[in-house]
């Protein structure tokens, strides 16, 4: 960038779709988001092949378009943080949490389902926020220069901002101390991202949830005793897992720029 604006040659190359370096394309798009002057310059650049393609596409879709009200600033903010396809998953997680609360209240069991499922429920949210098989616009989003770990963490944070207060409320309603599952929940979240950098986030989420249910949930429910992995004395272990997996995510951050990491 020169003089706080995109150089003319770089802007023209961007319009023509030339093979720019990833950091250059990212810098151009990030600058265009906040600079109306460069957006105006972008609109004035003539590229016959691009103009022809855009014109043919527009002529095909224009008859089916209807005027839409300008979205509110709140809606625009939400769309930039949460993919719309994640909403059914959020509803599902809320229903599972409410069902677990109801079961804990009416069953009188010594085993709390809220405490058992709270560590892995955010994992489903992580998968919903960035998974190839769920989001129909995934290829479009994943191919943009600003995709990668930045977008994964942004969407994951948005999901956690909804789920963690919900789970804390459920824990308070059932008498389950949040400290017993909060660290495991964060460890599973970063663990999903760390494993997802290798096998894909969707596959990592399924694998971790299945392993937790098979190794911890089913034996705990059948034996009617508290899971030893959620005892207060195990919190330092969960803190270590959280720190280690967060470090792996940082070291493997470039893996999230590849489309395979979104499976």
């Amino acid at each position: 960038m020169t003089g706080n604006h995109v150089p003319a040659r770089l802007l023209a190359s961007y319009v023509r779709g030339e093979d720019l370096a990833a950091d250059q394309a990212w810098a151009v798009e990030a600058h265009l988001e906040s600079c109306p002057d460069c957006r105006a310059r972008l609109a004035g650049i003539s590229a016959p092949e691009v103009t022809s393609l855009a014109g043919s596409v527009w002529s095909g879709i224009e008859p089916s378009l209807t005027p839409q009200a300008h979205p509110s600033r709140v809606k625009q903010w939400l769309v930039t943080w949460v993919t719309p396809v994640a909403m059914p998953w959020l509803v599902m997680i809320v229903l599972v949490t409410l069902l677990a609360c109801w079961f804990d209240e009416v069953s009188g069991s010594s085993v709390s389902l809220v405490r058992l499922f709270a560590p892995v429920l955010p994992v489903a949210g992580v998968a919903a926020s960035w998974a190839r098989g769920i989001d129909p616009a995934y290829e479009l989003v994943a191919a943009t220069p600003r995709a990668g770990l930045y977008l994964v963490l942004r969407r994951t944070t948005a999901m956690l901002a909804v789920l963690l207060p919900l789970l804390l409320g459920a824990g308070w309603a059932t008498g389950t101390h949040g400290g017993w599952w909060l660290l495991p929940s964060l460890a599973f979240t970063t663990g999903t991202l760390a494993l997802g950098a290798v096998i894909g986030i969707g596959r990592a989420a399924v694998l971790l949830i299945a392993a937790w249910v098979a190794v911890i949930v089913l034996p705990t429910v059948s034996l009617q005793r508290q899971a030893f992995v959620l005892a207060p004395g195990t919190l330092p272990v969960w803190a270590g897992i959280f720190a280690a997996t967060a470090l792996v995510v940082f070291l493997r951050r470039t893996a999230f720029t590849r489309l395979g990491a979104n499976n």
Side-chain angles (χ1 to χ4, degrees):
M1 302 296 170
T2 59
N4 295 325
H5 292 292
V6 182
R9 179 177 298 180
L10 180 59
L11 195 61
S13 299
Y14 177 78
V15 172
R16 290 193 296 267
E18 296 179 3
D19 189 16
L20 298 177
D23 58 339
Q24 287 183 319
W26 183 91
V28 170
E29 291 195 349
H31 181 78
L32 287 173
E33 289 182 0
S34 58
C35 181
D37 293 336
C38 285
R39 290 199 298 270
R41 291 170 54 211
L42 178 72
I45 295 177
S46 176
E49 62 276 11
V50 176
T51 303
S52 175
L53 176 61
S56 62
V57 172
W58 179 253
S59 63
I61 65 174
E62 186 178 16
S64 62
L65 297 178
T66 56
Q68 299 290 331
H70 192 274
S72 65
R73 296 181 67 88
V74 174
K75 186 175 181 180
Q76 288 179 324
W77 181 85
L78 287 174
V79 170
T80 61
W81 280 85
V82 183
T83 174
V85 298
M87 298 310 296
W89 286 77
L90 276 174
V91 173
M92 180 271 292
I93 295 171
V94 170
L95 292 177
V96 170
T97 304
L98 294 177
L99 184 62
C101 286
W102 174 81
F103 184 84
D104 283 357
E105 289 294 329
V106 302
S107 67
S109 172
S110 60
V111 175
S112 170
L113 289 186
V114 172
R115 185 176 176 182
L116 275 178
F117 282 104
V120 293
L121 283 178
V123 173
V126 174
S129 68
W130 191 249
R132 178 176 186 173
I134 297 173
D135 191 351
Y138 120 91
E139 290 182 348
L140 179 64
V141 175
T144 59
R146 299 194 73 182
L149 183 60
Y150 166 81
L151 188 57
V152 172
L153 291 180
R154 188 174 176 131
R155 289 184 171 182
T156 299
T157 300
M159 298 295 284
L160 291 178
V162 175
L163 296 179
L164 291 185
L166 170 69
L167 292 173
L168 286 171
W172 173 81
T174 58
T176 300
H177 195 283
W180 292 339
W181 56 260
L182 185 57
L183 263 179
S185 178
L186 295 176
F188 266 104
T189 299
T190 53
T192 303
L193 295 177
L195 186 58
V198 180
I199 65 174
I201 293 178
R203 297 191 186 100
V206 171
L207 180 62
L208 290 178
I209 292 175
W212 179 260
V213 170
V215 177
I216 302 299
V217 175
L218 293 180
T220 299
V221 172
S222 62
L223 296 176
Q224 285 295 299
R225 58 186 179 187
Q226 296 295 341
F228 69 94
V229 294
L230 295 178
T234 63
L235 292 182
V237 177
W238 286 111
I241 295 173
F242 171 68
T245 51
L247 178 62
V248 171
V249 171
F250 174 76
L251 295 177
R252 295 275 301 171
R253 60 190 180 277
T254 57
F256 294 96
T257 61
R258 299 193 298 268
L259 297 182
N262 310 320
N263 291 333

CSV table of all heavy atoms in Angstrom, one decimal, residues 160-216:
chain,number,residue,atom,x,y,z
A,160,LEU,N,-19.5,-19.7,21.0
A,160,LEU,CA,-19.2,-19.8,22.4
A,160,LEU,C,-19.9,-18.7,23.2
A,160,LEU,O,-20.4,-18.9,24.4
A,160,LEU,CB,-17.7,-19.8,22.7
A,160,LEU,CG,-16.9,-21.0,22.2
A,160,LEU,CD1,-15.4,-20.8,22.6
A,160,LEU,CD2,-17.4,-22.3,22.9
A,161,ALA,N,-20.0,-17.5,22.7
A,161,ALA,CA,-20.7,-16.4,23.3
A,161,ALA,C,-22.2,-16.7,23.6
A,161,ALA,O,-22.8,-16.2,24.5
A,161,ALA,CB,-20.5,-15.1,22.5
A,162,VAL,N,-22.7,-17.6,22.8
A,162,VAL,CA,-24.1,-18.0,22.9
A,162,VAL,C,-24.2,-19.2,23.8
A,162,VAL,O,-25.1,-19.3,24.8
A,162,VAL,CB,-24.8,-18.3,21.6
A,162,VAL,CG1,-26.2,-18.8,21.8
A,162,VAL,CG2,-24.8,-17.0,20.7
A,163,LEU,N,-23.4,-20.2,23.6
A,163,LEU,CA,-23.5,-21.5,24.3
A,163,LEU,C,-23.0,-21.5,25.7
A,163,LEU,O,-23.7,-22.1,26.6
A,163,LEU,CB,-22.7,-22.5,23.5
A,163,LEU,CG,-23.2,-22.8,22.1
A,163,LEU,CD1,-22.3,-23.9,21.4
A,163,LEU,CD2,-24.7,-23.3,22.1
A,164,LEU,N,-21.9,-20.8,26.0
A,164,LEU,CA,-21.4,-20.9,27.4
A,164,LEU,C,-22.4,-20.2,28.4
A,164,LEU,O,-22.6,-20.8,29.5
A,164,LEU,CB,-20.0,-20.2,27.5
A,164,LEU,CG,-18.9,-21.0,26.8
A,164,LEU,CD1,-17.6,-20.3,27.0
A,164,LEU,CD2,-18.8,-22.4,27.3
A,165,PRO,N,-22.9,-19.0,28.1
A,165,PRO,CA,-23.9,-18.5,29.1
A,165,PRO,C,-25.1,-19.4,29.2
A,165,PRO,O,-25.7,-19.6,30.3
A,165,PRO,CB,-24.4,-17.2,28.5
A,165,PRO,CG,-23.2,-16.8,27.6
A,165,PRO,CD,-22.6,-18.0,27.1
A,166,LEU,N,-25.6,-20.1,28.1
A,166,LEU,CA,-26.7,-21.0,28.2
A,166,LEU,C,-26.3,-22.2,29.1
A,166,LEU,O,-27.1,-22.6,30.0
A,166,LEU,CB,-27.0,-21.5,26.8
A,166,LEU,CG,-28.0,-22.7,26.7
A,166,LEU,CD1,-29.4,-22.3,27.1
A,166,LEU,CD2,-28.0,-23.3,25.3
A,167,LEU,N,-25.1,-22.7,29.0
A,167,LEU,CA,-24.7,-23.9,29.8
A,167,LEU,C,-24.5,-23.5,31.2
A,167,LEU,O,-24.8,-24.2,32.2
A,167,LEU,CB,-23.4,-24.5,29.2
A,167,LEU,CG,-23.6,-25.2,27.9
A,167,LEU,CD1,-22.2,-25.6,27.3
A,167,LEU,CD2,-24.5,-26.4,28.0
A,168,LEU,N,-24.0,-22.3,31.5
A,168,LEU,CA,-23.8,-21.8,32.8
A,168,LEU,C,-25.2,-21.6,33.5
A,168,LEU,O,-25.4,-22.0,34.7
A,168,LEU,CB,-23.1,-20.4,32.8
A,168,LEU,CG,-21.6,-20.5,32.6
A,168,LEU,CD1,-21.0,-19.1,32.4
A,168,LEU,CD2,-20.9,-21.2,33.7
A,169,GLY,N,-26.2,-21.1,32.8
A,169,GLY,CA,-27.5,-21.0,33.3
A,169,GLY,C,-28.1,-22.4,33.6
A,169,GLY,O,-28.8,-22.6,34.6
A,170,ALA,N,-27.9,-23.4,32.7
A,170,ALA,CA,-28.4,-24.7,32.9
A,170,ALA,C,-27.7,-25.3,34.1
A,170,ALA,O,-28.4,-26.0,34.9
A,170,ALA,CB,-28.1,-25.6,31.7
A,171,GLY,N,-26.4,-25.1,34.3
A,171,GLY,CA,-25.7,-25.6,35.5
A,171,GLY,C,-26.2,-25.0,36.8
A,171,GLY,O,-26.4,-25.7,37.8
A,172,TRP,N,-26.5,-23.7,36.7
A,172,TRP,CA,-27.1,-23.0,37.9
A,172,TRP,C,-28.4,-23.6,38.3
A,172,TRP,O,-28.8,-23.8,39.4
A,172,TRP,CB,-27.2,-21.5,37.7
A,172,TRP,CG,-27.9,-20.8,38.8
A,172,TRP,CD1,-27.3,-20.4,40.0
A,172,TRP,CD2,-29.2,-20.4,38.8
A,172,TRP,NE1,-28.3,-19.7,40.7
A,172,TRP,CE2,-29.5,-19.7,40.0
A,172,TRP,CE3,-30.3,-20.5,37.9
A,172,TRP,CZ2,-30.7,-19.2,40.3
A,172,TRP,CZ3,-31.5,-20.0,38.2
A,172,TRP,CH2,-31.7,-19.3,39.4
A,173,ALA,N,-29.3,-23.9,37.2
A,173,ALA,CA,-30.6,-24.4,37.5
A,173,ALA,C,-30.6,-25.8,38.0
A,173,ALA,O,-31.5,-26.1,38.8
A,173,ALA,CB,-31.4,-24.3,36.2
A,174,THR,N,-29.6,-26.6,37.7
A,174,THR,CA,-29.5,-27.9,38.2
A,174,THR,C,-28.6,-28.1,39.3
A,174,THR,O,-28.3,-29.3,39.8
A,174,THR,CB,-29.2,-28.9,37.0
A,174,THR,OG1,-27.9,-28.5,36.5
A,174,THR,CG2,-30.2,-28.8,35.9
A,175,GLY,N,-27.9,-27.1,39.8
A,175,GLY,CA,-27.0,-27.2,40.9
A,175,GLY,C,-25.7,-27.8,40.5
A,175,GLY,O,-24.9,-28.3,41.3
A,176,THR,N,-25.3,-27.6,39.2
A,176,THR,CA,-24.0,-28.2,38.7
A,176,THR,C,-23.0,-27.0,38.6
A,176,THR,O,-23.3,-26.0,37.9
A,176,THR,CB,-24.2,-28.8,37.3
A,176,THR,OG1,-25.2,-29.8,37.4
A,176,THR,CG2,-22.9,-29.3,36.8
A,177,HIS,N,-21.9,-27.1,39.3
A,177,HIS,CA,-20.9,-26.1,39.4
A,177,HIS,C,-20.3,-25.9,38.0
A,177,HIS,O,-19.8,-26.9,37.4
A,177,HIS,CB,-19.9,-26.4,40.4
A,177,HIS,CG,-19.0,-25.2,40.8
A,177,HIS,ND1,-18.0,-24.8,39.9
A,177,HIS,CD2,-19.0,-24.4,41.8
A,177,HIS,CE1,-17.4,-23.7,40.5
A,177,HIS,NE2,-18.0,-23.5,41.6
A,178,GLY,N,-20.3,-24.7,37.4
A,178,GLY,CA,-19.8,-24.5,36.1
A,178,GLY,C,-18.3,-24.8,36.0
A,178,GLY,O,-17.8,-25.1,34.9
A,179,GLY,N,-17.5,-24.6,37.1
A,179,GLY,CA,-16.1,-24.8,37.0
A,179,GLY,C,-15.7,-26.2,36.7
A,179,GLY,O,-14.6,-26.5,36.3
A,180,TRP,N,-16.6,-27.2,37.0
A,180,TRP,CA,-16.3,-28.6,36.7
A,180,TRP,C,-16.3,-28.9,35.3
A,180,TRP,O,-15.7,-29.9,34.9
A,180,TRP,CB,-17.3,-29.5,37.5
A,180,TRP,CG,-17.1,-29.4,39.0
A,180,TRP,CD1,-16.0,-29.0,39.7
A,180,TRP,CD2,-18.1,-29.8,39.9
A,180,TRP,NE1,-16.3,-29.1,41.0
A,180,TRP,CE2,-17.6,-29.6,41.2
A,180,TRP,CE3,-19.4,-30.3,39.8
A,180,TRP,CZ2,-18.2,-29.8,42.4
A,180,TRP,CZ3,-20.1,-30.5,41.0
A,180,TRP,CH2,-19.5,-30.3,42.3
A,181,TRP,N,-17.0,-28.2,34.4
A,181,TRP,CA,-17.0,-28.5,33.0
A,181,TRP,C,-16.6,-27.4,32.1
A,181,TRP,O,-16.4,-27.6,30.9
A,181,TRP,CB,-18.4,-28.9,32.6
A,181,TRP,CG,-19.5,-27.9,32.9
A,181,TRP,CD1,-20.4,-27.9,34.0
A,181,TRP,CD2,-19.8,-26.7,32.2
A,181,TRP,NE1,-21.2,-26.8,33.9
A,181,TRP,CE2,-20.9,-26.0,32.8
A,181,TRP,CE3,-19.3,-26.1,31.0
A,181,TRP,CZ2,-21.4,-24.8,32.4
A,181,TRP,CZ3,-19.8,-24.9,30.5
A,181,TRP,CH2,-20.9,-24.3,31.2
A,182,LEU,N,-16.3,-26.2,32.6
A,182,LEU,CA,-16.0,-25.1,31.8
A,182,LEU,C,-14.6,-25.3,31.1
A,182,LEU,O,-14.4,-25.1,29.9
A,182,LEU,CB,-16.0,-23.8,32.6
A,182,LEU,CG,-15.7,-22.5,31.8
A,182,LEU,CD1,-16.7,-22.3,30.7
A,182,LEU,CD2,-15.7,-21.2,32.7
A,183,LEU,N,-13.6,-25.7,31.9
A,183,LEU,CA,-12.3,-25.9,31.3
A,183,LEU,C,-12.3,-27.1,30.4
A,183,LEU,O,-11.7,-27.0,29.3
A,183,LEU,CB,-11.3,-26.2,32.4
A,183,LEU,CG,-10.4,-25.0,32.9
A,183,LEU,CD1,-9.5,-25.4,34.0
A,183,LEU,CD2,-9.6,-24.5,31.7
A,184,PRO,N,-13.0,-28.2,30.7
A,184,PRO,CA,-13.1,-29.3,29.7
A,184,PRO,C,-13.8,-28.8,28.4
A,184,PRO,O,-13.4,-29.2,27.3
A,184,PRO,CB,-14.0,-30.4,30.4
A,184,PRO,CG,-13.7,-30.2,31.9
A,184,PRO,CD,-13.5,-28.7,32.0
A,185,SER,N,-14.8,-27.9,28.6
A,185,SER,CA,-15.5,-27.4,27.4
A,185,SER,C,-14.5,-26.6,26.5
A,185,SER,O,-14.5,-26.8,25.3
A,185,SER,CB,-16.6,-26.6,27.8
A,185,SER,OG,-17.3,-26.0,26.7
A,186,LEU,N,-13.7,-25.8,27.1
A,186,LEU,CA,-12.7,-25.0,26.3
A,186,LEU,C,-11.7,-25.9,25.7
A,186,LEU,O,-11.2,-25.7,24.6
A,186,LEU,CB,-12.1,-23.9,27.2
A,186,LEU,CG,-13.0,-22.8,27.7
A,186,LEU,CD1,-12.3,-21.9,28.7
A,186,LEU,CD2,-13.6,-22.0,26.6
A,187,ALA,N,-11.3,-26.9,26.5
A,187,ALA,CA,-10.3,-27.9,26.0
A,187,ALA,C,-10.8,-28.7,24.8
A,187,ALA,O,-10.1,-28.9,23.8
A,187,ALA,CB,-9.8,-28.8,27.1
A,188,PHE,N,-12.1,-29.1,24.8
A,188,PHE,CA,-12.7,-29.7,23.7
A,188,PHE,C,-12.8,-28.8,22.5
A,188,PHE,O,-12.6,-29.2,21.3
A,188,PHE,CB,-14.0,-30.3,24.1
A,188,PHE,CG,-14.0,-31.7,24.5
A,188,PHE,CD1,-14.1,-32.0,25.9
A,188,PHE,CD2,-13.9,-32.7,23.6
A,188,PHE,CE1,-14.1,-33.3,26.3
A,188,PHE,CE2,-13.8,-34.1,24.0
A,188,PHE,CZ,-14.0,-34.4,25.4
A,189,THR,N,-13.0,-27.5,22.7
A,189,THR,CA,-13.1,-26.6,21.6
A,189,THR,C,-11.8,-26.4,20.9
A,189,THR,O,-11.7,-26.6,19.7
A,189,THR,CB,-13.6,-25.2,22.1
A,189,THR,OG1,-14.9,-25.4,22.7
A,189,THR,CG2,-13.7,-24.2,21.0
A,190,THR,N,-10.7,-26.2,21.7
A,190,THR,CA,-9.4,-26.0,21.0
A,190,THR,C,-8.9,-27.4,20.5
A,190,THR,O,-8.2,-27.4,19.5
A,190,THR,CB,-8.4,-25.5,22.0
A,190,THR,OG1,-8.4,-26.2,23.3
A,190,THR,CG2,-8.7,-24.0,22.4
A,191,GLY,N,-9.3,-28.5,21.2
A,191,GLY,CA,-8.9,-29.8,20.7
A,191,GLY,C,-9.6,-30.1,19.3
A,191,GLY,O,-8.9,-30.7,18.5
A,192,THR,N,-10.8,-29.6,19.2
A,192,THR,CA,-11.5,-29.8,17.9
A,192,THR,C,-10.8,-29.1,16.8
A,192,THR,O,-10.6,-29.5,15.7
A,192,THR,CB,-13.0,-29.4,17.9
A,192,THR,OG1,-13.6,-30.1,19.0
A,192,THR,CG2,-13.7,-29.6,16.6
A,193,LEU,N,-10.4,-27.8,17.1
A,193,LEU,CA,-9.7,-27.0,16.1
A,193,LEU,C,-8.3,-27.6,15.8
A,193,LEU,O,-7.8,-27.6,14.6
A,193,LEU,CB,-9.5,-25.6,16.6
A,193,LEU,CG,-10.8,-24.8,16.8
A,193,LEU,CD1,-10.5,-23.4,17.4
A,193,LEU,CD2,-11.5,-24.7,15.5
A,194,ALA,N,-7.6,-28.1,16.8
A,194,ALA,CA,-6.3,-28.7,16.6
A,194,ALA,C,-6.3,-29.9,15.8
A,194,ALA,O,-5.6,-30.1,14.8
A,194,ALA,CB,-5.6,-29.0,18.0
A,195,LEU,N,-7.3,-30.8,16.1
A,195,LEU,CA,-7.4,-32.0,15.3
A,195,LEU,C,-8.0,-31.7,13.9
A,195,LEU,O,-7.7,-32.4,12.9
A,195,LEU,CB,-8.3,-33.0,16.1
A,195,LEU,CG,-8.5,-34.4,15.4
A,195,LEU,CD1,-7.2,-35.1,15.3
A,195,LEU,CD2,-9.5,-35.2,16.3
A,196,GLY,N,-8.9,-30.7,13.9
A,196,GLY,CA,-9.4,-30.3,12.6
A,196,GLY,C,-8.4,-29.8,11.6
A,196,GLY,O,-8.7,-29.9,10.4
A,197,ALA,N,-7.3,-29.2,12.1
A,197,ALA,CA,-6.3,-28.8,11.2
A,197,ALA,C,-5.6,-30.0,10.5
A,197,ALA,O,-5.0,-29.8,9.4
A,197,ALA,CB,-5.2,-28.0,12.0
A,198,VAL,N,-5.8,-31.2,11.0
A,198,VAL,CA,-5.3,-32.4,10.4
A,198,VAL,C,-6.3,-33.1,9.5
A,198,VAL,O,-6.0,-33.5,8.4
A,198,VAL,CB,-4.6,-33.3,11.4
A,198,VAL,CG1,-4.0,-34.5,10.8
A,198,VAL,CG2,-3.6,-32.5,12.3
A,199,ILE,N,-7.5,-33.4,10.1
A,199,ILE,CA,-8.5,-34.2,9.4
A,199,ILE,C,-9.7,-33.5,9.0
A,199,ILE,O,-10.6,-34.1,8.5
A,199,ILE,CB,-8.8,-35.4,10.3
A,199,ILE,CG1,-9.6,-34.9,11.6
A,199,ILE,CG2,-7.6,-36.3,10.7
A,199,ILE,CD1,-10.1,-36.1,12.5
A,200,GLY,N,-9.8,-32.2,9.3
A,200,GLY,CA,-11.0,-31.4,9.0
A,200,GLY,C,-11.9,-31.2,10.3
A,200,GLY,O,-12.0,-32.2,11.1
A,201,ILE,N,-12.4,-30.1,10.4
A,201,ILE,CA,-13.1,-29.7,11.6
A,201,ILE,C,-14.4,-30.6,11.8
A,201,ILE,O,-14.7,-31.0,12.9
A,201,ILE,CB,-13.5,-28.2,11.6
A,201,ILE,CG1,-12.2,-27.4,11.7
A,201,ILE,CG2,-14.4,-27.9,12.8
A,201,ILE,CD1,-12.4,-25.9,11.7
A,202,GLY,N,-15.1,-30.8,10.8
A,202,GLY,CA,-16.3,-31.7,10.9
A,202,GLY,C,-16.0,-33.1,11.4
A,202,GLY,O,-16.7,-33.6,12.3
A,203,ARG,N,-15.0,-33.7,10.8
A,203,ARG,CA,-14.6,-35.0,11.2
A,203,ARG,C,-14.1,-35.0,12.6
A,203,ARG,O,-14.3,-35.9,13.4
A,203,ARG,CB,-13.5,-35.6,10.3
A,203,ARG,CG,-14.0,-35.8,8.8
A,203,ARG,CD,-13.0,-36.5,8.0
A,203,ARG,NE,-13.3,-36.6,6.6
A,203,ARG,CZ,-12.8,-35.8,5.7
A,203,ARG,NH1,-11.9,-35.0,6.0
A,203,ARG,NH2,-13.2,-35.9,4.4
A,204,ALA,N,-13.3,-34.0,13.0
A,204,ALA,CA,-12.7,-33.9,14.3
A,204,ALA,C,-13.9,-33.8,15.4
A,204,ALA,O,-13.8,-34.4,16.4
A,204,ALA,CB,-11.8,-32.7,14.4
A,205,ALA,N,-14.9,-33.0,15.1
A,205,ALA,CA,-16.0,-32.9,16.0
A,205,ALA,C,-16.7,-34.2,16.2
A,205,ALA,O,-17.0,-34.6,17.3
A,205,ALA,CB,-17.0,-31.8,15.5
A,206,VAL,N,-17.0,-34.9,15.1
A,206,VAL,CA,-17.7,-36.2,15.2
A,206,VAL,C,-16.9,-37.2,16.0
A,206,VAL,O,-17.4,-37.9,16.9
A,206,VAL,CB,-18.0,-36.7,13.8
A,206,VAL,CG1,-18.5,-38.1,13.9
A,206,VAL,CG2,-19.0,-35.8,13.1
A,207,LEU,N,-15.6,-37.2,15.8
A,207,LEU,CA,-14.7,-38.2,16.4
A,207,LEU,C,-14.6,-37.9,17.9
A,207,LEU,O,-14.8,-38.8,18.8
A,207,LEU,CB,-13.3,-38.1,15.8
A,207,LEU,CG,-12.2,-39.0,16.4
A,207,LEU,CD1,-12.7,-40.5,16.2
A,207,LEU,CD2,-10.9,-38.8,15.8
A,208,LEU,N,-14.5,-36.6,18.3
A,208,LEU,CA,-14.4,-36.3,19.7
A,208,LEU,C,-15.7,-36.5,20.5
A,208,LEU,O,-15.7,-37.0,21.6
A,208,LEU,CB,-13.9,-34.9,19.9
A,208,LEU,CG,-12.4,-34.6,19.5
A,208,LEU,CD1,-12.1,-33.1,19.6
A,208,LEU,CD2,-11.5,-35.4,20.3
A,209,ILE,N,-16.8,-36.1,19.9
A,209,ILE,CA,-18.1,-36.4,20.5
A,209,ILE,C,-18.4,-37.8,20.7
A,209,ILE,O,-18.8,-38.3,21.8
A,209,ILE,CB,-19.2,-35.7,19.7
A,209,ILE,CG1,-19.1,-34.2,19.8
A,209,ILE,CG2,-20.6,-36.1,20.3
A,209,ILE,CD1,-20.1,-33.4,19.0
A,210,ALA,N,-18.1,-38.6,19.6
A,210,ALA,CA,-18.3,-40.1,19.7
A,210,ALA,C,-17.4,-40.7,20.8
A,210,ALA,O,-17.9,-41.6,21.5
A,210,ALA,CB,-18.1,-40.7,18.4
A,211,ALA,N,-16.2,-40.3,20.9
A,211,ALA,CA,-15.3,-40.9,21.9
A,211,ALA,C,-15.7,-40.5,23.3
A,211,ALA,O,-15.7,-41.4,24.2
A,211,ALA,CB,-13.9,-40.3,21.6
A,212,TRP,N,-16.2,-39.3,23.5
A,212,TRP,CA,-16.6,-38.9,24.8
A,212,TRP,C,-17.9,-39.6,25.2
A,212,TRP,O,-18.0,-40.1,26.4
A,212,TRP,CB,-16.9,-37.3,24.8
A,212,TRP,CG,-17.5,-36.8,26.1
A,212,TRP,CD1,-18.7,-36.5,26.4
A,212,TRP,CD2,-16.7,-36.4,27.2
A,212,TRP,NE1,-18.8,-36.0,27.7
A,212,TRP,CE2,-17.6,-36.0,28.2
A,212,TRP,CE3,-15.3,-36.5,27.5
A,212,TRP,CZ2,-17.2,-35.5,29.5
A,212,TRP,CZ3,-14.9,-36.1,28.8
A,212,TRP,CH2,-15.8,-35.6,29.7
A,213,VAL,N,-18.8,-39.8,24.3
A,213,VAL,CA,-20.0,-40.5,24.6
A,213,VAL,C,-19.7,-42.0,24.9
A,213,VAL,O,-20.3,-42.6,25.9
A,213,VAL,CB,-21.1,-40.4,23.5
A,213,VAL,CG1,-22.2,-41.4,23.7
A,213,VAL,CG2,-21.6,-39.0,23.3
A,214,ALA,N,-18.9,-42.6,24.1
A,214,ALA,CA,-18.6,-44.0,24.3
A,214,ALA,C,-17.7,-44.3,25.6
A,214,ALA,O,-18.0,-45.3,26.3
A,214,ALA,CB,-17.8,-44.6,23.1
A,215,VAL,N,-16.8,-43.5,25.8
A,215,VAL,CA,-15.8,-43.7,26.9
A,215,VAL,C,-16.3,-43.2,28.3
A,215,VAL,O,-16.0,-43.7,29.3
A,215,VAL,CB,-14.4,-43.2,26.6
A,215,VAL,CG1,-13.4,-43.4,27.7
A,215,VAL,CG2,-13.9,-43.8,25.3
A,216,ILE,N,-17.0,-42.0,28.2
A,216,ILE,CA,-17.4,-41.4,29.5
A,216,ILE,C,-18.9,-41.4,29.8
A,216,ILE,O,-19.3,-41.9,30.8
A,216,ILE,CB,-16.9,-39.9,29.5
A,216,ILE,CG1,-15.4,-39.8,29.3
A,216,ILE,CG2,-17.3,-39.2,30.8
A,216,ILE,CD1,-14.6,-40.5,30.3
